[in-house]
Amino acid sequence: MSLVFTNENCVGCNKCISACSCLGANIQVEKDGMNRIEVDGDKCIACGACFDV
């Protein structure tokens, strides 16, 4: 289970991926024809950088 999930407000800007200092923690996936961001809870260090952007 991930700490962060993409909701209907996500516009797919990928700023959260760019802000993340842990390679592979934030990944872009396609769900229901839309790009969404998922967080790998095993790689995430819960720094909050993705929330800040």
Side-chain angles (χ1 to χ4, degrees):
M1 176 178 226
S2 66
L3 299 173
V4 179
F5 62 93
T6 304
N7 63 28
E8 61 277 354
N9 295 323
C10 177
V11 296
C13 68
N14 295 330
K15 287 182 181 179
C16 55
I17 292 176
S18 299
C20 183
S21 62
C22 297
L23 292 177
N26 290 311
I27 55 171
Q28 182 178 3
V29 296
E30 185 177 330
K31 286 188 176 180
D32 302 323
M34 308 248 337
N35 289 330
R36 300 291 185 190
I37 306 302
E38 288 189 351
V39 177
D40 183 338
D42 292 331
K43 295 179 181 176
C44 177
I45 61 169
C47 67
C50 57
F51 285 113
D52 291 340
V53 296

